[in-house]
Amino acid sequence: MPSSKEDTGEKKPVVPRPSSSVLLVSPKNEILLLHRVQTSSSFASAHVFPGGNLSSQDGQCPPPENYSHHDDSPSYRRAAIRELFEESGILLAKDKASGKMLVVDEATRENGRRLIHQNKITFIDWLKQQNVSAEPDIDQLIPFTHWITPIKNAKRYTTQMYLYFMPLPVNIDRKLLDDLPIEGARDEIQIPTSDGGVEVTEAQFLPAATWLQRAQKGEIILFPPQFLLLHLVSGFLDKETGSAVSNDEMGKRRAALVDFVHSGSPPWTDKYISPKMLKITEDGRAVLALDDAGPELRGSGRQGESDRVVLVRFTKGSAREVKVVWKKDALREGKEDRSHL
């Protein structure tokens, strides 16, 4: 079990709140990011994956003193699907009886989002109004790292990240996708929208490589977790071919990404990451080590990512000049930060 600091007189870190996020892959193998409002209590003005805190309607997590409090579970998964719907309007639900995906028109979805935001109905109750056999499609979520906010932060989260692949179009050439109508042509193609400025000002699908390029140019803000995962995803979904990408090729890229997510020691499905300052580069950027799982999981055997680190310049609550590099390369230059030792 996690060790207590009550006997040492040290100040205990803030207990991290359970949350979930989804890397949603579109039928064109693009990734959905949301632009958070400036007044957001976390990641203000940044581009993030859809997600948020678990609530009572998602089910109960084990208590914080249990290691399993941080593990993938139905409650984390239900929160991921619910928050995706609330923030982007994209509904990932199925008919339990038939196994088919639930199809709900845009107007009904938008009305449902408003009612849920106003606490007039829960997500699950709204789903049941559409179909008594409806349930969140949690089985297709693929765990893809778990992040725990460093102990120095005043607000902390223990966040389960997931991958979810929307269906590839069947018997439709990829070049025709851009011309499809928003409604009616393909049930599985849902267009993300903002929540009217409650938490999100914009919701958009773009290739992972494009999001990374925009961050590198300073056009958007990506924090280390989002940047790292987009970096990894881009290596599989955004390979250059010099021509239009067929459905078959897109499927192969997805399969290669899934294989990668299940690879490693531990695999990326089971990596627990609590970033820790390792050193400062010569240009003043922080080097964040990713191998520590954080104090809550000390003694649990959980491990993070030992081969890569993230470089970042933190400025006034923002993250700039983010880059993923091999740890061995990062250690060759710069000065160590020994404040955590």
Side-chain angles (χ1 to χ4, degrees):
M1 307 296 285
S3 59
S4 171
K5 294 189 176 182
E6 293 180 350
D7 298 333
T8 66
E10 296 181 47
K11 184 179 179 180
K12 296 176 65 176
V14 174
V15 176
R17 296 184 63 180
S19 67
S20 301
S21 286
V22 187
L23 283 80
L24 184 64
V25 182
S26 79
K28 296 165 64 176
N29 277 359
E30 297 177 338
I31 307 300
L32 177 63
L33 287 188
L34 313 178
H35 188 190
R36 296 192 67 83
V37 296
Q38 293 181 345
T39 55
S40 176
S41 60
S42 60
F43 299 109
S45 298
H47 279 70
V48 299
F49 306 124
N53 296 327
L54 274 64
S55 76
S56 58
Q57 63 181 296
D58 303 315
Q60 295 299 315
C61 273
E65 59 269 20
N66 288 357
Y67 293 137
S68 57
H69 179 74
H70 307 274
D71 291 344
D72 169 40
S73 69
S75 56
Y76 276 103
R77 291 176 176 240
R78 285 190 286 267
I81 300 296
R82 174 181 57 78
E83 286 285 346
L84 171 67
F85 178 68
E86 290 183 23
E87 293 189 328
S88 74
I90 291 182
L91 179 63
L92 302 180
K94 64 183 179 181
D95 182 313
K96 186 177 181 180
S98 67
K100 294 182 178 180
M101 295 300 292
L102 194 65
V103 178
V104 179
D105 65 82
E106 183 180 4
T108 302
R109 296 200 311 269
E110 291 302 307
N111 183 59
R113 292 171 71 188
R114 286 193 294 271
L115 294 174
I116 292 169
H117 275 304
Q118 295 167 3
N119 295 316
K120 294 182 177 179
I121 193 171
T122 66
F123 175 57
I124 295 299
D125 287 343
W126 178 83
L127 270 183
K128 297 300 182 184
Q129 287 184 353
Q130 314 313 309
N131 182 321
V132 293
S133 298
E135 62 180 12
D137 187 28
I138 64 175
D139 293 338
Q140 293 190 70
L141 291 168
I142 302 173
F144 188 24
T145 69
H146 191 107
W147 294 73
I148 301 179
T149 310
I151 60 175
K152 292 182 179 179
N153 292 54
K155 290 186 176 181
R156 302 183 65 221
Y157 302 93
T158 176
T159 304
Q160 179 63 55
M161 300 284 193
Y162 294 102
L163 268 174
Y164 186 104
F165 295 96
M166 299 180 78
L168 289 170
V170 180
N171 297 324
I172 291 183
D173 192 281
R174 185 176 188 273
K175 66 182 180 181
L176 299 178
L177 283 174
D178 292 330
D179 299 325
L180 288 176
I182 292 177
E183 295 291 342
R186 297 292 301 176
D187 291 335
E188 67 268 24
I189 297 178
Q190 300 183 55
I191 306 301
T193 59
S194 78
D195 60 5
V198 178
E199 297 178 85
V200 178
T201 62
E202 182 185 40
Q204 185 177 14
F205 279 114
L206 285 175
T210 301
W211 288 124
L212 294 170
Q213 290 165 6
R214 292 186 64 188
Q216 290 164 343
K217 292 178 181 178
E219 297 174 356
I220 65 171
I221 299 170
L222 289 178
F223 279 84
Q226 289 78 16
F227 193 97
L228 172 66
L229 296 183
L230 284 170
H231 169 82
L232 297 174
V233 167
S234 179
F236 293 91
L237 299 186
D238 298 325
K239 294 179 180 179
E240 295 294 335
T241 62
S243 60
V245 182
S246 67
N247 281 3
D248 184 59
E249 173 62 22
M250 287 196 292
K252 289 179 180 178
R253 293 181 182 188
R254 289 182 172 199
L257 174 57
V258 172
D259 287 344
F260 169 77
V261 169
H262 287 91
S263 71
S265 181
W268 288 89
T269 54
D270 299 324
K271 288 187 189 290
Y272 291 78
I273 300 173
S274 183
K276 179 182 287 187
M277 176 81 76
L278 180 63
K279 52 182 262 183
I280 302 295
T281 64
E282 293 179 353
D283 67 0
R285 282 185 290 178
V287 178
L288 301 182
L290 308 174
D291 53 352
D292 187 40
E296 285 79 16
L297 292 175
R298 195 157 294 140
S300 69
R302 270 68 159 188
Q303 300 176 44
E305 162 59 13
S306 58
D307 294 329
R308 296 169 179 83
V309 296
V310 174
L311 277 60
V312 58
R313 190 184 305 279
F314 289 114
T315 306
K316 297 180 180 180
S318 177
R320 297 292 188 179
E321 301 177 54
V322 188
K323 185 178 181 181
V324 178
V325 300
W326 296 107
K327 185 176 183 179
K328 59 182 176 59
D329 295 332
L331 292 176
R332 291 174 183 167
E333 60 179 59
K335 55 185 178 181
E336 289 191 29
D337 171 66
R338 302 182 65 82
S339 62
H340 65 278
L341 300 179

